[in-house]
Amino acid sequence: MPDNGATGPNAGAEHAGAPGANDARGEMEQLRTRVAVLEADQASRAPHHRWRAFFAALLIVIGCVLAPLGAVASWAADEVGDTDRYVATVAPLASDPDIQAAVATRVTNAVMEHINLATLLEGAAPEDRPRLEKALGRLGGSLENAVRSFVHDKAQQIVASETFEKIWTDANRRIHAAVDKALTGSADSAVKINNNSVTIDLAPVIDQVKQRLVADGMTVAAKIPEVHTNFTVLRSDNIGKVKTAFQLLELAGIWLPVIAVVLIAVGVLLAVHRRRTLVISALAFAFAMLVLGAGLSVFRVVYLNALPADVSQSAAGSVYDTLTRYLRTTVRMAVMLGVVIALAAWLTGHGRSATLVRQLWKSGIGAVRSTADRAGLRTGPVGPFVHRHRKWITWVLVAAAVVVYVLWSFPTAWVVVGIALVLLLALALVEFLAEDEAAGRKQEVASSQEPQPR
């Protein structure tokens, strides 16, 4: 008679497996419920994220558009609003070969207009004058060229001397001090507006040349009257509009850069993926400043092509390059700053490549620390302290780098690179010193167990 309590091994397995099957079905139901809740939560937050992303992108775009304008405004505030900065900017032009050549040519032409070659015979004896007049007639243009070359040499000597540097600096200081009156044409000084141009009166230079000519034997130069001829520093077909634009930029010079940076920062904080947004924002900022740099180069060509034929292209180009030198330096600095910030944000992210770079960084510093440990160099209590407070130390170093950059009077691209490299070196030193106490004790035990040489 069969035993009812033992129906075979399969029946026991079925009874034993029934609770497990129920548990599996329960877990599946719980997973489905959790997935449904997550999907519902994601669906409810999706519109909110889309609005955050939209406003974040809008603020960042506006900030990147305002950044080049802020750079120009800051430059205008420094150059137009600060006389000493303007004079320091244009002072090197007095030693520029193109400027010197243009001024010497302008002075020579002005002097030659008041020299009559026939008057050169006034100092000759009466009996020699007929013969010299006949010789003068045969020489004709050759004599004029010789006299012109002589006058040009004296003018070149004057513009290459410290006297011209002082005349140039004083005239440009008057330009800046009287720029408002000069732009309206009401200034009673060496600064004038002629044909929409800001010009310098070269009468002091001509007077110096006259004195040099008389000292070198051309006494007829003493009879040359006071001669006024202008050297164009700036020219614009709409000088009034340029004045208004500069006034607006000068007013916005302080706040516009701050507004641009604040808008970009708020956009990054508002974004859902902040680190990725920071990388994109920094690169967009660098690109916007690159566009400004390209615009300066294009405007240079347009400006020089619009000058009249009697204006020296090389001298005008030197003036333009000198006046925009600080702005170009700011552009290069801003581009480098954007690249450095984007690189730092990327390296601190969770991407595969960034993680690999950080692992290589830590492995290299760890290898150096291990070598130092084997050589008997110990960090002592400093290592555990740095390890415990490494995050705070890192933030302090970053804040110090930011403060140094902000307080730097006129940072350049190389200054940004230097600050970044010093910060990187400091972080490497922190990583080197940060040693866990347990790891340090383990290393000390391992070192004590090593056989000592006899």
Side-chain angles (χ1 to χ4, degrees):
M1 184 176 179
D3 187 0
N4 294 331
T7 58
N10 293 335
E14 288 178 1
H15 288 289
N22 292 332
D23 292 341
R25 285 194 294 269
E27 291 178 358
M28 289 296 296
E29 290 297 332
Q30 291 178 0
L31 289 175
R32 290 193 185 98
T33 303
R34 292 184 60 186
V35 169
V37 171
L38 291 175
E39 289 179 349
D41 182 60
Q42 184 177 5
S44 63
R45 289 191 301 174
H48 176 65
H49 286 176
R50 283 197 294 268
W51 281 110
R52 286 181 58 184
F54 170 76
F55 283 111
L58 180 63
L59 292 176
I60 291 171
V61 169
I62 295 176
C64 290
V65 171
L66 292 180
L69 298 178
V72 176
S74 179
W75 166 77
D78 288 338
E79 295 295 341
V80 179
D82 190 339
T83 301
D84 293 335
R85 169 63 68 87
Y86 172 79
V87 173
T89 300
V90 300
L93 285 173
S95 303
D96 186 270
D98 293 328
I99 298 294
Q100 292 181 351
V103 172
T105 300
R106 183 63 59 86
V107 170
T108 300
N109 292 337
V111 172
M112 289 301 297
E113 290 179 357
H114 294 82
I115 291 182
N116 185 1
L117 296 181
T119 59
L120 295 175
L121 303 176
E122 291 182 356
E127 61 274 12
D128 294 334
R129 288 184 182 179
R131 179 173 56 83
L132 293 176
E133 289 178 353
K134 185 177 180 181
L136 180 62
R138 288 197 302 267
L139 289 175
S142 299
L143 180 60
E144 182 179 358
N145 292 335
V147 174
R148 178 179 291 275
S149 177
F150 181 73
V151 173
H152 186 272
D153 289 342
K154 302 308 173 185
Q156 189 67 42
Q157 292 175 9
I158 293 298
V159 299
S161 65
E162 295 181 357
T163 301
F164 176 68
E165 293 181 2
K166 186 177 185 305
I167 293 173
W168 177 266
T169 301
D170 292 342
N172 277 282
R173 186 174 293 277
R174 288 195 299 271
I175 281 180
H176 195 277
V179 65
D180 288 333
K181 293 182 180 180
L183 289 174
T184 60
S186 61
D188 185 15
S189 66
V191 184
K192 298 179 180 179
I193 292 294
N194 294 317
N195 298 324
N196 292 325
S197 300
V198 179
T199 59
I200 294 178
D201 189 355
L202 296 179
V205 181
I206 295 176
D207 184 66
Q208 291 289 327
V209 172
K210 286 163 50 179
Q211 295 178 20
R212 184 67 61 89
L213 291 174
V214 173
D216 290 346
M218 187 179 287
T219 57
V220 69
K223 299 182 178 181
I224 298 177
E226 185 177 2
V227 180
H228 295 273
T229 186
N230 297 324
F231 180 80
T232 301
V233 178
L234 293 173
R235 177 179 173 84
S236 174
D237 293 334
N238 298 298
I239 202 75
K241 294 181 179 179
V242 171
K243 175 187 175 183
T244 303
F246 269 120
Q247 288 176 341
L248 294 175
L249 288 176
E250 189 176 4
L251 291 175
I254 299 177
W255 296 108
L256 198 56
V258 176
I259 293 173
V261 172
V262 169
L263 288 177
I264 295 176
V266 172
V268 172
L269 294 176
L270 190 61
V272 178
H273 305 286
R274 293 176 180 174
R275 194 183 304 276
R276 186 189 308 169
T277 305
L278 178 58
V279 174
I280 297 174
S281 300
L283 294 178
F285 172 80
F287 176 77
M289 299 305 295
L290 276 178
V291 171
L292 174 59
L296 290 175
S297 299
V298 173
F299 183 77
R300 183 183 190 276
V301 176
V302 175
Y303 170 74
L304 294 180
N305 290 337
L307 293 175
D310 61 337
V311 176
S312 171
Q313 292 278 320
S314 57
S318 297
V319 172
Y320 179 87
D321 293 339
T322 300
L323 289 177
T324 59
R325 179 182 60 189
Y326 286 108
L327 183 56
R328 292 177 181 273
T329 301
T330 300
V331 168
R332 290 192 290 268
M333 180 275 299
V335 171
M336 183 58 65
L337 180 63
V339 172
V340 168
I341 292 176
L343 186 60
W346 174 76
L347 285 175
T348 56
H350 303 290
R352 181 180 302 177
S353 300
T355 303
L356 177 60
V357 172
R358 291 198 304 272
Q359 289 176 350
L360 292 175
W361 164 273
K362 293 181 179 180
S363 298
I365 295 177
V368 175
R369 187 193 302 119
S370 300
T371 303
D373 289 338
R374 287 193 297 269
L377 300 177
R378 299 285 186 269
T379 59
V382 176
F385 174 82
V386 174
H387 180 77
R388 288 194 304 269
H389 305 284
R390 177 164 55 181
K391 182 179 292 185
W392 284 103
I393 294 174
T394 300
W395 281 112
V396 168
L397 291 175
V398 173
V402 173
V403 170
V404 170
Y405 169 78
V406 172
L407 296 181
W408 202 283
S409 59
F410 191 75
T412 63
W414 288 112
V415 170
V416 174
V417 173
I419 293 175
L421 292 178
V422 171
L423 177 60
L424 196 64
L425 181 61
L427 294 177
L429 181 60
V430 170
E431 183 68 26
F432 175 80
L433 294 176
E435 184 180 22
D436 192 2
E437 294 186 41
R441 288 194 297 268
K442 184 177 179 181
Q443 184 67 30
E444 291 179 1
V445 171
S447 300
S448 62
Q449 293 178 350
E450 291 181 359
Q452 302 295 328
R454 296 181 179 179

